[in-house]
Amino acid sequence: MPRPSRVLPLAVTLGVFVFAACSDPDRTAGHFCGTIATEIPLLQGPFTEPAQIDDLVRRYEKLNRITPLAIEDDWNTLTELMKLASDVDPNDPNSRQAVADAAYKAERPARNVAIWVETTCGVAMPDVIGVEGSVPVAPPAPGTPTTVP
């Protein structure tokens, strides 16, 4: 039977190896900055086609997996906003309002992320405009003037 003094160090060594193999991906600022620098051009809107919007959501999710802890919660808020915006029904006022509410709540996290990315990575986060695509506008009622006097 092995002596306890030899079993414990072996168990600790194996545990560290297993933990390292299963741990989160590299969440360092350097890794994130290198990745986001290449992603920035692909995060710029407007996005109007469903495939473009789905691609944008996938990019935010990919970055979410490597976001440093310093901005993890804020980036997650932005990722959730992108997901919600990608599912908006432009014909449903409640759906549009839910996105507007989420965008309002994401204002401060977006600012925090933008400041962190600019100061840490040296790149500017783009504004995301039109993620939900265009919102249809009802034509004016018959007889309604279309010009302002």
Side-chain angles (χ1 to χ4, degrees):
M1 176 169 190
R3 293 182 11 199
S5 62
R6 290 186 184 165
V7 172
L8 185 59
L10 178 60
V12 169
T13 302
L14 287 174
V16 168
F17 176 75
V18 169
F19 178 75
C22 299
S23 66
D24 287 338
D26 185 1
R27 289 184 171 266
T28 64
H31 182 213
F32 182 82
C33 288
T35 303
I36 198 156
T38 62
E39 294 288 327
I40 289 288
L42 304 169
L43 299 178
Q44 297 177 352
F47 302 96
T48 56
E49 298 298 319
Q52 293 172 320
I53 296 168
D54 291 343
D55 185 56
L56 177 68
V57 170
R58 279 191 297 276
R59 289 178 189 288
Y60 268 84
E61 288 173 331
K62 173 186 165 189
L63 289 162
N64 200 39
R65 290 189 292 271
I66 63 166
T67 302
L69 295 177
I71 58 167
E72 181 180 33
D73 290 340
D74 291 330
W75 190 271
N76 189 50
T77 298
L78 297 180
T79 301
E80 292 304 314
L81 173 61
M82 294 301 114
K83 289 178 189 177
L84 183 63
S86 73
D87 290 333
V88 71
D89 177 354
N91 297 311
D92 178 5
N94 292 330
S95 180
R96 291 193 319 259
Q97 186 61 51
V99 172
D101 292 346
Y104 180 74
K105 289 178 184 175
E107 186 176 329
R108 179 165 289 172
R111 188 175 28 245
N112 293 343
V113 166
I115 291 167
W116 189 92
V117 168
E118 187 169 332
T119 58
T120 306
C121 304
V123 295
M125 284 293 296
D127 291 330
V128 179
I129 304 166
V131 172
E132 71 283 355
S134 60
V135 175
V137 176
T144 303
T146 56
T147 59
V148 177

